[in-house]
Amino acid sequence: MRVARLHGVADLRLTEEETPEVGPGMSLVRVTAVGLCGSDLHWYAEGGIGDATITRPLVVGHEFAGVVEGGPAHGRRVAVDPAIPCESCRSCRSGYRNLCPNIRFAGHDLLDGGLRELIAWPTELLHALPDHVSDSDGAMLEPLGVALHAFDLGHLHLGGTVAVVGCGPIGLLLIQLARLAGASTVIAVEPLPHRAEAAKRFGAVLAEDAQADVVFEVAGNDAAVNTSLELARPGGRVVLVGIPDDDRTTFRASLARRKGLTLALVRRMNDVYPRAIRLVEEGKVDVASLVSARYPLAEAPAAFTAAIRREGLKTVIEPQR
């Protein structure tokens, strides 16, 4: 099979490797679509993310879908949950698997991700896709899951106001969720014109001087965090979704303190795949229009370059092309 391995900063190499072995409780999946996430771009451009750095040639990619090869589910199209929790720690037993300290995550540290033609994955973490949900839609379920988890942390009241700072794919999904959940107004802050237009298309208004009950920061930089604090009303809630480049976030403490703001930080997602699938299947959330570019596996470096430049919205790599 063909595999794209990251050997260092911007050093992505296409190699031929053996088909992975399929152990007990696992299924072989032929990968059909992989979305490039902001965290993948950190790995590619910086050789790491947060306090994790590349220590060996790594296969990145955690937003992916495919088709089961062999076994009783042969031919089933699936979305892949990229997180493998331990299921035995206090967090897992309490229902917070995303906070598992022993979690293994696709395309991170020692666990290779989806940028390859075939992958062996726990069968229980494969979610069947409805017939009319495409493979790229299936890959988009992971960022939708992150948006759903972030939205849950916002505790929005019916008729409340929302602001989204940073309108990449997850920000645009948050705008859709806020509208769906009954927000009276959704404010968008986005410097890139094509992403600002997408935010308007999904029902947001562009403003930087309003106030909101709940603010979602999805850009991952200090300027966006401070803008989020300014947008939040006194007593409001700010949900930090973005991941900063240097593993540091700073903000004006006096502003947050005097407003009495509540800050919530997002750690990936919890068990939200079934909800995400229903929302897409029922046409309540549009993920398809967010996919703006598709590349074959052989052109993965070009795909990363385009994504880093913030061209379009979501870049998808299709290993079977």
Side-chain angles (χ1 to χ4, degrees):
M1 65 169 181
R2 294 180 304 162
V3 177
R5 283 196 180 275
L6 184 64
H7 289 249
V9 173
D11 183 7
L12 192 66
R13 307 177 195 176
L14 197 66
T15 62
E16 292 283 341
E17 299 183 10
E18 295 295 323
T19 298
E21 294 184 2
V22 182
M26 309 282 281
S27 292
L28 187 65
V29 177
R30 184 170 296 276
V31 181
T32 54
V34 186
L36 295 187
C37 174
S39 59
D40 297 321
L41 304 186
H42 281 288
W43 282 109
Y44 183 81
E46 303 159 22
I49 181 171
D51 61 355
T53 57
I54 191 166
T55 58
R56 64 174 185 88
L58 176 67
V59 182
V60 299
H62 60 270
E63 302 175 357
F64 60 109
V67 181
V68 176
E69 293 277 318
H74 177 72
R76 178 179 296 165
R77 297 171 54 252
V78 294
V80 181
D81 186 335
I84 307 176
C86 74
E87 301 291 1
S88 60
C89 69
R90 180 176 180 178
S91 293
C92 286
R93 295 196 309 271
S94 301
Y96 299 102
R97 294 176 180 83
N98 60 310
L99 303 181
C100 170
N102 307 309
I103 201 166
R104 294 183 296 147
F105 196 77
H108 185 93
D109 198 21
L110 300 179
L111 185 61
D112 287 331
L115 274 184
R116 48 183 168 173
E117 291 183 313
L118 293 164
I119 188 170
W121 206 253
T123 303
E124 66 178 4
L125 297 177
L126 304 178
H127 299 270
L129 291 176
D131 290 341
H132 64 278
V133 175
S134 71
D135 293 341
S136 58
D137 289 350
M140 287 296 297
L141 292 172
E142 198 278 342
L144 175 54
V146 173
L148 273 169
H149 180 58
F151 192 80
D152 289 345
L153 294 176
H155 299 174
L156 177 70
H157 294 161
L158 184 66
T161 54
V162 167
V164 176
V165 180
C167 296
I170 292 178
L172 294 172
L173 290 167
L174 279 163
I175 290 171
Q176 294 188 62
L177 293 176
R179 297 285 294 171
L180 184 62
S184 60
T185 304
V186 182
I187 301 157
V189 178
E190 171 53 58
L192 296 178
H194 66 284
R195 294 189 170 187
E197 284 301 313
K200 289 169 59 178
R201 187 171 71 248
F202 285 120
V205 296
L206 304 180
E208 295 191 24
D209 57 356
Q211 288 205 326
D213 299 311
V214 183
V215 183
F216 298 95
E217 181 279 312
V218 207
N221 57 63
D222 288 349
V225 173
N226 279 287
T227 296
S228 299
L229 301 181
E230 291 166 358
L231 283 170
R233 65 161 174 80
R237 193 172 184 90
V238 176
V239 182
L240 303 181
V241 188
I243 300 175
D245 290 343
D246 58 0
D247 198 27
R248 292 287 187 276
T249 297
T250 61
F251 56 86
R252 289 172 52 203
S254 59
L255 175 62
R257 184 180 67 253
R258 289 167 184 165
K259 284 189 173 184
L261 299 179
T262 297
L263 304 184
L265 279 72
V266 175
R267 171 64 166 169
R268 296 173 181 157
M269 72 179 93
N270 210 348
D271 298 327
V272 297
Y273 261 87
R275 290 167 60 196
I277 291 171
R278 285 196 302 273
L279 288 171
V280 173
E281 182 182 16
E282 295 170 3
K284 294 179 178 177
V285 172
D286 171 17
V287 296
S289 71
L290 300 185
V291 177
S292 54
R294 305 170 191 271
Y295 291 80
L297 190 62
E299 297 178 16
F304 274 90
T305 298
I308 288 171
R309 290 174 180 166
R310 299 298 191 265
E311 297 175 3
L313 298 174
K314 172 63 71 173
T315 298
V316 169
I317 294 175
E318 299 173 331
Q320 304 305 315
R321 283 178 59 188

